[in-house]
Amino acid sequence: MPRNARSGDRNSAIETRGLVRTFGENRAVDGVDLGVNAGEIYGFLGPNGAGKSTTVRMLCTLLKPTAGQATVAGYDVVDSPGEVRIRIGVALQEAALDERQTGREILDLQARLYGLSAFDRAASIARAVDLADIGSAMEDRVKTYSGGMRRRLDLAASLIHGPEVLFLDEPTTGLDPVSRAQVWDEVRRLNGELGVTVFLTTQYLEEADALADRVAIIDGGRIVEEGSPAELKRAVGADVIVVDLPSEAIAPAAAVAETVPDVDAVTQGRRGITIATADGAATVGSVAVALAGAGLHPQSLTVRTPSLDDVFLLATGYRMSTVDPTAAGGGPAAGGSDPHAGPAGAPASEGSSPR
């Protein structure tokens, strides 16, 4: 096959097989298999340090894989990096914008770097200006921009050449709720109206649930769950019962809960247990009676529908809400006291990637 020939399924935007990246003895990405369909929004969910950004950097040709294979838009990321780059847009964690330039100057520079003709450049910049939606500030220097304005400009710049695949690496980290909602709206519009395939990495459970057609959960460099948000939550159960307990009572309570009829699964966390069941309202009373009979006294019992946080807990043994303040259930930020966080909390930060 010629070096720059397309390979693989034309309906697949991203494919990886056994993708590995090591840094010394650290196996940051450990055999990742992915298949992202053309035209979908694919959520890549995990805490800092899970391998999200390293995977994206390999797919964007910024890092070479240690082992395995990856194709993006039909081209191998190692054999044909130039073919990949011309077909992708990338907005990484930190918007790499020159603060001395105006928004329009940045868009113009990006268009020139992609080799657009004068006619195509003018049309692309006009579309990008509309997308950025920052009004007259487009003529101001970037150093005057808010975080939300910078993020929207960075997103617009990544789309200046009409890419087939857009990589968004934690695009709303650090944004206020209004700016975050604006970015979400733009992602939906790009996907729905323009058909752009979006590969979205995020720590925010709510973001993945709201935007993604399918979600992969990565932990310790490995994919531990994959499916649509609805499928993943259904797999937990129709309901979950969250039981807050003193630390010394968690293991005994889990053993007792497993004996209660209609309990499907019991997961231990750092501050209690989570019980999956088909009917929480009917089962919570039996759980309370069984615990009381064993001399165990919960601080609270709560019945609710499953969230992606429950999926993450079952897959990894700890909750994403330890690092996601917007997660359903309102868990605290990293270092806080989420009721059911895992024993070690989230891994250390992976760090930011350059544009």
Side-chain angles (χ1 to χ4, degrees):
M1 180 181 293
R3 181 178 179 86
N4 289 335
R6 282 183 183 264
S7 62
D9 185 354
R10 293 294 183 91
N11 293 320
S12 179
I14 300 170
E15 290 185 59
T16 73
R17 295 292 178 268
L19 195 64
V20 173
R21 176 66 196 198
T22 60
F23 297 95
E25 297 184 359
N26 177 31
R27 208 170 175 88
V29 176
D30 190 12
V32 165
D33 295 331
L34 291 175
V36 179
N37 299 323
E40 78 172 330
I41 300 177
Y42 190 88
F44 206 42
L45 179 64
N48 282 339
K52 302 189 307 299
S53 294
T54 301
T55 300
V56 168
R57 293 179 71 190
M58 286 189 285
L59 296 177
C60 295
T61 75
L62 295 176
L63 278 176
K64 285 189 176 182
T66 303
Q69 184 180 28
T71 60
V72 177
Y75 292 92
D76 189 279
V77 298
V78 174
D79 292 340
S80 305
E83 297 294 336
V84 171
R85 290 170 187 165
I86 201 68
R87 289 169 173 83
I88 65 173
V90 184
L92 298 182
Q93 289 182 29
E94 297 294 332
L97 303 172
D98 186 347
E99 294 191 340
R100 296 167 297 180
Q101 290 186 300
T102 68
R104 187 177 296 277
E105 287 171 342
I106 283 176
L107 296 178
D108 181 70
L109 175 61
Q110 191 79 353
R112 289 174 184 272
L113 290 173
Y114 275 104
L116 273 62
S117 67
F119 177 81
D120 289 340
R121 190 163 66 246
S124 295
I125 291 173
R127 287 194 298 269
V129 168
D130 288 340
L131 173 62
D133 191 27
I134 57 177
S136 61
M138 186 60 69
E139 314 304 331
D140 298 336
R141 296 188 187 279
V142 170
K143 66 181 180 181
T144 66
Y145 288 10
S146 68
M149 292 166 67
R150 290 179 185 228
R151 177 53 70 190
R152 294 200 299 278
L153 177 63
D154 193 41
L155 178 59
S158 70
L159 294 162
I160 200 78
H161 60 300
E164 297 176 32
V165 182
L166 175 63
F167 289 94
L168 299 178
D169 191 15
E170 303 195 20
T172 62
T173 296
L175 296 186
D176 61 82
V178 173
S179 296
R180 178 174 294 165
Q182 290 173 333
V183 171
W184 288 8
D185 288 343
E186 291 303 332
V187 171
R188 292 189 186 99
R189 188 174 77 82
L190 291 168
N191 176 255
E193 296 182 12
L194 304 181
V196 177
T197 303
V198 179
F199 189 91
L200 170 74
T201 79
T202 183
Q203 297 180 51
Y204 296 114
L205 298 162
E206 181 186 3
E207 188 161 83
D209 206 355
L211 292 177
D213 299 309
R214 288 190 299 137
V215 169
I217 295 176
I218 184 170
D219 185 51
R222 298 182 179 183
I223 304 297
V224 294
E225 287 289 350
E226 184 182 40
S228 73
E231 290 169 347
L232 294 176
K233 289 184 286 187
R234 278 199 302 271
V236 173
D239 292 317
V240 292
I241 302 170
V242 180
V243 186
D244 293 342
L245 292 153
S247 58
E248 68 276 6
I250 292 174
V256 170
E258 288 172 351
T259 68
V260 175
D262 299 321
V263 166
D264 297 325
V266 179
T267 307
Q268 297 183 45
R270 185 160 53 89
R271 296 290 299 277
I273 61 174
T274 298
I275 300 167
T277 178
D279 190 341
T283 307
V284 66
S286 299
V287 170
V289 169
L291 292 175
L296 300 169
H297 303 287
Q299 295 162 341
S300 67
L301 289 90
T302 306
V303 180
R304 57 172 173 77
T305 57
S307 68
L308 284 180
D309 204 17
D310 298 310
V311 176
F312 199 91
L313 173 64
L314 289 174
T316 68
Y318 63 92
R319 286 194 177 277
M320 270 286 289
S321 55
T322 57
V323 294
D324 179 9
T326 70
S337 56
D338 172 63
H340 296 202
S349 173
E350 239 179 334
S352 300
S353 302
R355 185 182 176 91

